[in-house]
Each structure stands twice: as C-alpha cells, then as structure tokens.
C-alpha cells in the first residue's frame, strides 16, 4: 500500500515555460536514501540547485539531431570548467616555460583520459538517476563511506583554494597591487554567492553564463597565439628530447592537474538535469550518445585553451633567464622588476609572475588580458567547485537543508583555510602552496576513479549499459596508470622536502591509504553486499530495475 506522499511523488510534475519543475528524479527506479541529517520538516520537498528538468524534443526520424544535441548541451561545459581552473593554467604556463612545446602530447593524452572517465560519470547518472556520491552512500559500509566523503571533501577544498586564490591574484593584478590577496579572496567569496543564485532565473541561463565565461577565457588567452610546426610536433609526437627531472615532474603535474576527483562526482550529478525516461532503453541510449558528443566538444575547447597558454609561454619564455626578464621589465618601466633576481638561473613562473612577465614583454595590455582570463577561469571554477561540494555533501550525508544553508556550509569549508593562506602568504610566493594542493588532490584520485569504474561495470546497477570487457580492462589499466603517476608525483614532492619525519609520516599514510582503497574495492563484491542486505542496509542491488520498452 503506497502512502499519500509516495502517490504524490508519482504524479506528473508541473511545467512552466517549457521546463519541467521537479523536486526529485521522476524516472529513478532507485529511490534516494532517506534523510539521516534533518534540517527541515519531513514533509518539506527536497531540492537541489538543479530543480528543473530540461525537456528533450521528440525527433524519431533522424539518427542525429542538432536540436537534441542543443537540449543536452550544458552539463559537459560546466564539467569542462574544472579543466580550465587556475591550477591547470599554472601547470600550463610552467610547462611552456620549462619544456617549451615538448609536453603538449602529455596534455593531449591526459585530456583524452579525462574524457573517457567523464563518459563513465555521465553514464552512471543517466542510467541510475543517481550521482556517484549517492551510489557510494548506498554501497559502502558506514566507516569507509565517511572516510570516502572526507577524502573527497579534501580534494574539493584543495581545488577551491587554488580557484579562489587565482581570482584574488587576478584582482591584485587588475588593481595594480591596490587590492591585497585577502581582499581579493573576500571579493571572490561575495560575488560567488551572488552568481550561484543565478540558477533561480533558469537552468539554461545559468549554463549560458558559464559558456560566456569559457568564451572570455578562449578569446583573451588566444590573443597572442599562432600555429607553428613545433606546436603540432609537440602535440602529436610523443617525445621530450633533453628533458630532465624538472620536465618529467612537470609532465606528472599536468596529469594531476587535468584529472580531478571531484569533477567525476560533479558530472554524474549534472546530467540529471535533463528529462529522460529511464524506463525507456532507447531514450537512455540516446542520452548517453549526446552527452558523450557534448563532453567531447567541451573538452576539445578546454584543451585548445590550455594549449594556447602553453604556446604563449613556450614561444616567448622557454629557456629565458631571470636576468633577461629583469632587463625587459626595466626597459618597460614595470614596477615588478624586483621579482626577477640578477642571475642566469632559469625563469620560474606562476600565475602572478606569469602576468607580470607578459606585461614586461608585450606591454600592460597583455597583463590585463591575462588577469581577465584568470579571473574568468577562477570565478567559473569556484562556482562549479561549490556545486561539487553541495552534491557530494548531499549524496553522502542526505542533507535536507535549505538552499542558502547548503551554500553557506559548502563555501565555509574552503573559505577559512583560503583566508588564512591569503593573510599569511605573500602574493609573490604562492607556488609552493599550489604544489602542495596539487599533491593533495592527486592523493584523492582513487577515491573517485575506482568507484566510478566499479559501479559502471556492474550489471546489477547499469543493466544493459554496464561496461564491456574492453572498457573494464582498459579502464582498469588507465586508472592504475593515473594513480601510479600521481603517487610518483607525491613521492617526488615529499622527497624534495628533505625531512625524515615527513618520510615516515608519508610512508604510514601511504600504507593506510592503499589498505583503504583495497578495502573499498573488496566491499563491492557480492558476498559483502549480501551481508549488508541481511542487515537491512538499503542497496541499489536489491531495488527493482525498470522493464525496458522494446
């Protein structure tokens, strides 16, 4: 016998201006877990940022429809912003300054791997009607589930700090140093709150706003780029002649900067914003197809922007020395000449110094162009990072708080450490912090990659859309390679600190880390699930799956 509330939830959702308004996924055969943390009455409808469902036009006569592609366009571009955050931009400019065009093929390979992982995330959201955090909440026992949530939150905090600091640096450059780092952080926090509520005006308008920010990045960053034979060679010919430890470390850093764990969680949630009948196999298959096409286009654009940044610094600043840059800054009357000592050591740049160097070589206009591009990158990635935090927290903890309370909590988690960094760190010496944050995020990768590959490979969850043998083997190899590369990055970083105590601590954490990852994978097998079903823990596996229409 169904309760009155369950009957109400099965009614057709109302429509307004062609957008279906809904408070939860109408097509989900896997009902969301009951709330364990209550901040609202039981009869209050649960809502997320993406309360709307964008309708998909009917077009049965064509195998490919531009109208349908346009309807599905949005989630992939929001996801792609994580590939353009200030951490990625800094990795790009350091790659160009240290290795020229030689590591572009690494950037291309990392982007392709990222696309394949984002495909898995989108498929999970489309087929199950739940995002990755919700599925993890159903499948993992209590203790590993809480640890998993904390690890993902750490990754989000690290990414968010890079993004907010990137915006603060942009404000500092645009104001010629008048706005201090902490002031830029406060401005970013405030305007992020304002921009986050743009979705009140409609989901499509919000997606258009993000598209506008991506366009700003593309236009401003590409202003000084032209195609060369060296660029094409670096992109399509895997090589690194004359590369040393610095270039190899940079190659590892590119992979760590491009593939970000929280972005897997984000994309699996964003795809739920389209109205798809998950009981209809044809519609699910069609949604997977169009989402993959859209993600490919979005990541191709983000890849081009990253290439533009690498190309600018490779063309102008590869193998430049501090004394050469100092002379150029003196000639251009730059107030930042003291950033570059009078020695013949190689030029070391970060986001802040990168803008200064562009201003010295190409004039003040170049500096402002750079700052505007960084501001767009930081602002957009800060907003999507907040969305990631909201989805992760709601998925793991089943929060039923008001919209404002959720935004305030997810922003506050990253605000305080970022403000501390801004107050006690000088804007000119942030490279060390950026390296540490990249290491922090690298350590969190298995906590997203292993679950997404495992869940999308299980027919109990994915039905006919489970990964085939090629995807299982290929995905496993890719994840092992990515995790190994990032673990190497961590080892190199810890070794550079030259501290025995840190060696011991890092070794202990690595052992615990690997044990937890192994435990998480082992708890996804049938026997573990069977024991949990007997203990009455909700599980995706015991839910009745929809009967597909033929």
């Amino acid at each position: 016998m169904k309760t009155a509330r369950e009957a109400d939830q099965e009614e057709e959702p109302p429509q307004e201006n062609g957008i279906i308004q809904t408070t939860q996924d109408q097509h989900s055969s896997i009902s969301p877990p009951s709330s364990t943390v209550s901040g609202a009455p039981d009869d209050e409808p649960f809502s997320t940022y993406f309360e709307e469902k964008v309708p998909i036009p009917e077009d049965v006569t064509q195998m490919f429809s531009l109208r349908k592609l346009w309807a599905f366009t949005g989630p992939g571009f929001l996801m792609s912003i994580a590939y353009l955050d200030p951490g990625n931009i800094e990795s790009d400019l350091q790659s160009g300054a240290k290795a020229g065009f030689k590591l572009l093929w690494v950037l291309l390979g990392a982007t392709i791997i990222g696309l394949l992982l984002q495909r898995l995330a989108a498929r999970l959201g489309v087929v199950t009607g739940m995002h990755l955090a919700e599925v993890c909440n159903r499948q993992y026992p209590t203790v590993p589930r809480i640890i998993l949530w904390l690890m993902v939150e750490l990754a989000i905090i690290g990414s968010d700090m890079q993004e907010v600091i990137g915006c603060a640096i942009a404000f500092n450059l645009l104001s010629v140093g008048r706005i201090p780092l902490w002031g830029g952080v406060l401005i970013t926090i405030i305007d992020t709150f304002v921009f986050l509520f743009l979705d009140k005006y409609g989901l499509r308008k919000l997606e258009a706003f993000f598209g506008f920010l991506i366009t700003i990045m593309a236009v401003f960053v590409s202003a000084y780029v032209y195609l060369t034979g060296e660029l094409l060679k670096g992109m399509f010919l895997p090589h690194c002649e004359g590369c040393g430890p610095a270039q190899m470390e940079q190659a590892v850093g590119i992979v760590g900067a491009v593939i970000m764990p929280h972005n897997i969680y984000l994309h699996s949630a964003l795809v739920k914003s389209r109205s798809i009948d998950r009981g209809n196999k044809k519609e699910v298959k069609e949604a997977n197809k169009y989402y993959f096409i859209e993600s490919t286009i979005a990541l191709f654009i983000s890849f081009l922007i990253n290439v533009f940044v690498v190309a600018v610094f490779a063309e102008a600043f590869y193998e430049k020395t501090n004394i050469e840059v100092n002379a150029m800054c003196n000639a251009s009357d730059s107030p930042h000449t003291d950033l570059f000592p009078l020695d013949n050591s190689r030029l070391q740049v970060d986001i802040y110094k990168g803008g200064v160097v562009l201003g010295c070589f190409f004039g003040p206009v170049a500096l402002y162009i750079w700052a505007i591009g960084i501001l767009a990158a930081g602002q957009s990635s800060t907003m999507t990072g907040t969305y990631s935090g909201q989805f992760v927290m709601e998925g793991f903890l089943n929060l039923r708080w008001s919209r404002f309370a959720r935004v305030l909590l997810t922003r506050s988690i990253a605000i305080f450490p970022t403000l501390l960094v801004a107050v006690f760190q000088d804007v000119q010496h942030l490279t060390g912090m950026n390296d540490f944050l990249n290491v922090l995020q690298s350590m969190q990768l298995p906590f997203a990659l292993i679950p997404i590959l495992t869940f999308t490979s299980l027919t109990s969850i994915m039905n006919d859309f489970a990964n085939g043998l090629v995807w299982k083997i290929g995905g496993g190899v890719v994840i092992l390679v990515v995790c190994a590369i990032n673990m190497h990055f961590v080892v190199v970083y810890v070794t550079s600190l030259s501290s025995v105590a840190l060696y011991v601590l890092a070794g202990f954490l690595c052992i615990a880390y690997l044990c937890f990852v192994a435990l998480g994978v082992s708890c996804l097998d049938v026997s573990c699930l069977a024991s949990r079903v007997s203990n009455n823990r909700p599980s995706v596996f015991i839910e009745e799956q929809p009967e597909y229409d033929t």
Side-chain angles (χ1 to χ4, degrees), residues 322 325-342 356 360:
N322 283 321
V325 178
N326 185 288
M328 288 297 298
C329 288
N330 264 324
S332 63
D333 296 323
S334 170
H336 306 289
T337 305
D338 57 335
L339 287 177
F340 310 101
L342 292 171
V356 171
C360 292

Side-chain angles (χ1 to χ4, degrees), residues 16-78:
E16 181 179 348
N17 297 328
I19 303 294
I20 302 172
Q21 306 290 335
T22 180
T23 58
Q24 59 176 293
D25 189 54
Q26 301 292 331
H27 307 297
S28 176
S29 64
I30 308 172
S31 58
S34 59
S35 178
T36 58
V37 180
S38 179
D42 288 342
D43 58 351
E44 179 180 331
F46 177 72
S47 64
T48 66
Y49 287 113
F50 302 104
E51 297 170 344
E52 303 172 354
K53 293 286 186 179
V54 176
I56 307 301
E58 292 291 337
D59 195 350
V60 298
T61 60
Q62 298 183 20
M63 293 184 62
F64 177 80
S65 168
L66 288 176
R67 289 177 64 239
K68 284 193 175 184
L69 178 59
W70 177 249
F72 281 106
T73 296
F77 280 89
L78 268 67

Side-chain angles (χ1 to χ4, degrees), residues 315-478:
E315 188 69 31
F317 309 119
Y318 176 50
E319 294 187 332
K320 285 288 191 301
T321 62
N322 283 321
I323 194 169
E324 290 176 305
V325 178
N326 185 288
M328 288 297 298
C329 288
N330 264 324
S332 63
D333 296 323
S334 170
H336 306 289
T337 305
D338 57 335
L339 287 177
F340 310 101
L342 292 171
D343 57 43
N344 286 317
S345 58
R346 287 283 181 87
L347 174 66
Q348 300 290 328
V349 289
D350 52 28
I351 290 180
Y352 179 75
K353 290 182 181 178
V356 171
V357 170
L358 287 173
C360 292
F361 276 73
F362 301 112
V365 174
L367 185 149
Y368 293 123
I369 288 176
W370 174 258
I372 291 173
I374 293 299
L375 181 61
Q379 189 62 71
S380 56
S381 55
T382 298
M383 293 167 65
T384 55
T386 302
Y387 282 129
S388 299
Q390 181 247 340
F391 289 131
V392 166
M393 191 165 291
E394 288 176 355
F396 279 106
L397 303 183
N398 303 325
L399 288 180
R400 296 184 61 197
W401 293 0
S402 67
R403 175 194 299 265
F404 180 78
R406 292 196 307 270
V407 173
L408 183 62
L409 178 60
T410 53
R411 292 301 300 144
S412 298
I413 290 175
I415 283 172
F416 292 109
T418 306
L419 272 177
L420 288 175
V421 169
V423 171
F424 295 105
Q425 273 278 20
D426 187 87
V427 69
Q428 303 171 11
H429 304 92
L430 291 174
T431 301
M433 185 204 72
N434 187 68
D435 291 341
F436 170 76
L437 293 176
N438 281 336
V439 169
L440 178 67
Q441 294 174 79
S442 299
M443 288 288 289
Q444 314 310 319
L445 266 177
F447 298 103
L449 303 190
I450 292 176
I452 194 63
L453 179 63
T454 303
F455 293 141
T456 54
S457 298
L458 295 173
T459 55
S460 303
I461 293 178
M462 301 294 289
N463 287 311
D464 295 341
F465 296 96
N467 295 330
L469 182 61
V470 173
W471 266 97
K472 291 177 183 178
I473 297 175
V477 171
V478 165

Side-chain angles (χ1 to χ4, degrees), residues 156-395:
I156 294 174
I157 291 172
S159 175
D160 207 20
M161 288 180 68
Q162 288 179 312
E163 293 151 3
V164 173
I165 292 294
C167 287
I169 290 174
F171 282 121
N172 183 272
L173 289 172
L174 289 171
S175 65
V176 197
R178 294 186 179 90
I179 299 178
L181 195 63
W182 61 266
V185 170
L186 291 177
I187 294 173
T188 303
I189 291 168
I190 294 170
D191 63 27
T192 298
F193 271 107
V194 174
F195 289 141
L196 280 171
F197 286 96
L198 285 175
D199 62 345
K200 296 290 285 185
Y201 297 96
L203 179 58
R204 297 298 272 174
K205 291 184 177 66
L206 177 70
E207 292 172 346
F209 176 71
F210 279 98
F212 172 70
L213 292 177
I214 293 175
T215 303
I216 289 177
M217 284 182 268
V219 170
F220 281 88
V221 175
S222 64
Y224 296 95
V225 177
Y226 54 92
L227 197 64
T228 67
E230 284 296 315
L231 187 149
L232 295 176
K233 178 183 177 182
M235 189 182 303
F236 297 109
L237 183 61
H239 75 293
C240 196
E241 297 175 6
C243 289
Q247 288 74 23
M248 292 297 100
E249 182 179 346
Q250 190 59 47
V252 173
I254 291 173
V255 178
V258 168
I259 304 173
M260 306 176 72
H262 69 275
N263 211 34
I264 306 295
Y265 288 85
L266 175 67
H267 199 197
S268 65
L270 295 176
V271 297
K272 295 169 60 178
S273 61
R274 267 53 182 176
S275 180
I276 302 166
D277 181 3
R278 295 192 304 107
N280 188 318
K281 184 176 180 179
K282 180 181 177 182
E283 283 195 26
V284 174
K285 184 176 181 180
E286 183 179 68
N288 286 330
K289 177 181 73 173
Y290 282 109
Y291 275 134
F292 182 66
I293 294 173
E294 185 231 3
S295 297
T296 302
I297 296 172
L299 288 189
F300 176 72
I301 293 173
S302 71
F303 171 70
L304 289 182
I305 296 174
N306 284 317
V307 168
F308 292 162
V309 177
V310 174
V312 168
F313 283 85
E315 188 69 31
F317 309 119
Y318 176 50
E319 294 187 332
K320 285 288 191 301
T321 62
N322 283 321
I323 194 169
E324 290 176 305
V325 178
N326 185 288
M328 288 297 298
C329 288
N330 264 324
S332 63
D333 296 323
S334 170
H336 306 289
T337 305
D338 57 335
L339 287 177
F340 310 101
L342 292 171
D343 57 43
N344 286 317
S345 58
R346 287 283 181 87
L347 174 66
Q348 300 290 328
V349 289
D350 52 28
I351 290 180
Y352 179 75
K353 290 182 181 178
V356 171
V357 170
L358 287 173
C360 292
F361 276 73
F362 301 112
V365 174
L367 185 149
Y368 293 123
I369 288 176
W370 174 258
I372 291 173
I374 293 299
L375 181 61
Q379 189 62 71
S380 56
S381 55
T382 298
M383 293 167 65
T384 55
T386 302
Y387 282 129
S388 299
Q390 181 247 340
F391 289 131
V392 166
M393 191 165 291
E394 288 176 355

